[in-house]
Amino acid sequence: MNKKEKFAAGVKASFRATFHKGHVLGKMGYLHDELEVVGNDISYMHFKNTDIGICRTKNEFCQRGMGAFINKKYKDAYREFEKINLDQFPEGYYVIAICNLYGKGVKKNIAEGIRMAKMGADRSLCCKQLLARCYIEGKGVQINKRKAYELIIDTMSQMNSRTNTDIDDDYFMPDIIHFCGEYELENGQDEKALEHLQMAAVDKNYGQSYYLLGKYYFEDEPEKAKKYLNRAKQLNVNVSSAYYADERAEVSDETIDGGVFEKLSKGTSELSSISESLDNIMDHVDKLDPTNIKLEHLKKVNEYNAIKRQEELEKLKHEQKTLGYEAINAVEKFTHIKQIRKSEGKSDKEETKLEKQRRKNRERKDREKLAEKSKKE
């Protein structure tokens, strides 16, 4: 459940819990009636940069890389991790797998992260528990809770029997111990389940395990269950008010003040107004959603780009039209010049013929004169 859904559920639950029938005090109960599942979901692949401290190593490159990783200098960390001799220090598979799975210091590559975790799982307990988490969540692999359970049990067994491992017990997360208990309860292994839930709750102070223990003992040992449930609430787990029905019964039959009831009974229009306001709030929440903001921005960018493309297209058409006119003018001009030159060529030719005729006439006259002169003599 994302932040927007949690907010919506919270607003609706507050409204229903506060304005429910005539016995306001009794029906308010605990807000967790409507919010039991909100915030109680467990993400086995949720990872903080400090969680890399689960890896225990003597390799200097790994140590320097982990220090940089914790300080969020992921690229520096990955450069150090790449220098680790994986044959001698299998914990290197784990830190490189983490970087690839979460895109820290290197481009996110889930397939490569899974490959590194599998390669290191035989010799690295860190890799083994990481691979178990992937099987629980289905991250890069098919969901396989049985396989995940077997990997976790094997990891804890080796942690108890070996002193020289690459996993730090202080950083060993309680959520996967809780997973074992939950899995065992589902498969009828109550004794083992209670052992693991106690380990996660008491040793690791894990609220979800306290809650599950409270549910388990509620029917047969209510007082014991109540202690577990109270502790779960102290650890910010949303415990259903169904487990506190006896306490709520003490106030559920109390008649509320007549004036208050009268105001509430006359306040239908006000409640309708509140409901409309809540709808408006949700509309604003939708608008503030980063995804919607990004989509709105992309929409505006696309509209702007479309306008720019249309303007450029109109400009191009105008330029093509202008070039067309210029080309036509150039052709006409060229044709005109050609015609002038042709006419000029004809004139020259005609002039040459005239001069030739004139020359022949002069020569003929000269011959006639010579002939007359010769006769006289």
Side-chain angles (χ1 to χ4, degrees), residues 41-57:
D41 53 327
I42 302 172
S43 175
Y44 292 96
M45 293 304 296
H46 177 70
F47 185 84
K48 302 188 296 293
N49 61 314
T50 53
D51 291 345
I52 203 167
I54 193 175
C55 182
R56 184 163 54 193
T57 182

Side-chain angles (χ1 to χ4, degrees), residues 36-258:
E36 182 184 358
V37 297
V38 179
N40 283 350
D41 53 327
I42 302 172
S43 175
Y44 292 96
M45 293 304 296
H46 177 70
F47 185 84
K48 302 188 296 293
N49 61 314
T50 53
D51 291 345
I52 203 167
I54 193 175
C55 182
R56 184 163 54 193
T57 182
K58 294 181 180 179
N59 181 272
E60 58 176 327
F61 299 123
C62 194
Q63 289 174 347
R64 285 204 298 265
M66 286 169 61
F69 194 99
I70 290 171
N71 289 312
K72 299 184 179 180
K73 297 178 180 179
Y74 301 120
K75 289 186 178 179
D76 293 341
Y78 191 74
R79 279 195 289 269
E80 294 294 333
F81 294 153
E82 286 184 308
K83 300 174 186 176
I84 300 171
N85 185 331
L86 299 178
D87 292 332
Q88 295 182 9
F89 300 96
E91 60 269 23
Y93 286 108
Y94 170 73
V95 292
I96 293 175
I98 286 292
C99 290
N100 278 279
L101 283 171
Y102 296 95
K104 303 296 186 182
V106 66
K107 186 177 180 180
K108 189 174 182 179
N109 189 335
I110 294 176
E112 178 63 12
I114 295 294
R115 188 180 75 86
M116 296 299 289
K118 286 182 176 180
M119 288 177 65
D122 289 339
R123 295 186 295 143
S124 166
L125 296 185
C126 287
C127 283
K128 190 166 287 190
Q129 64 88 32
L130 176 62
L131 196 56
R133 292 176 180 277
C134 293
Y135 279 118
I136 296 172
E137 294 276 333
K139 191 176 184 71
V141 293
Q142 289 291 325
I143 292 177
N144 189 333
K145 292 188 176 182
R146 180 178 178 181
K147 180 70 174 176
Y149 174 76
E150 291 171 353
L151 287 168
I152 298 168
I153 293 297
D154 188 41
T155 299
M156 291 193 292
S157 175
Q158 291 192 50
M159 285 173 63
N160 293 330
S161 61
R162 292 166 52 191
T163 55
N164 186 23
T165 66
D166 68 335
I167 198 165
D168 191 333
D169 183 59
D170 291 335
Y171 281 89
F172 191 65
M173 299 295 109
D175 55 344
I176 54 177
I177 304 175
H178 172 86
F179 166 79
C180 290
E182 195 172 40
Y183 180 85
E184 287 158 346
L185 278 180
E186 291 173 359
N187 288 276
Q189 301 174 334
D190 290 18
E191 188 175 343
K192 284 185 177 181
L194 294 175
E195 181 183 343
H196 285 129
L197 291 174
Q198 286 281 358
M199 184 188 303
V202 179
D203 296 347
K204 298 288 186 177
N205 207 30
Y206 193 58
Q208 294 290 350
S209 294
Y210 276 113
Y211 191 17
L212 192 51
L213 285 167
K215 289 180 178 180
Y216 181 84
Y217 287 111
F218 186 74
E219 293 293 332
D220 299 326
E221 301 180 57
E223 291 301 319
K224 187 175 184 178
K226 193 64 65 69
K227 291 179 181 179
Y228 286 129
L229 294 171
N230 288 341
R231 182 57 183 154
K233 286 175 64 178
Q234 291 171 1
L235 293 171
N236 299 317
V237 176
N238 293 325
V239 178
S240 171
S241 62
Y243 298 106
Y244 293 87
D246 53 340
E247 295 178 14
R248 292 182 62 186
E250 295 175 6
V251 293
S252 62
D253 293 328
E254 293 179 7
T255 304
I256 60 175
D257 179 76

Side-chain angles (χ1 to χ4, degrees), residues 284-310:
H284 287 300
V285 170
D286 288 337
K287 291 178 181 178
L288 290 173
D289 184 89
T291 304
N292 291 339
I293 292 172
K294 188 175 181 180
L295 289 173
E296 188 66 26
H297 173 69
L298 288 173
K299 182 180 177 182
K300 290 182 179 179
V301 170
N302 289 335
E303 290 174 354
Y304 174 78
N305 290 338
I307 293 170
K308 291 295 290 182
R309 282 195 297 271
Q310 187 62 32

Side-chain angles (χ1 to χ4, degrees), residues 323-339:
L323 288 172
Y325 287 141
E326 291 177 355
I328 291 170
N329 291 336
V331 170
E332 290 178 350
K333 188 174 181 181
F334 175 76
T335 304
H336 180 66
I337 291 171
K338 189 174 180 182
Q339 289 174 348

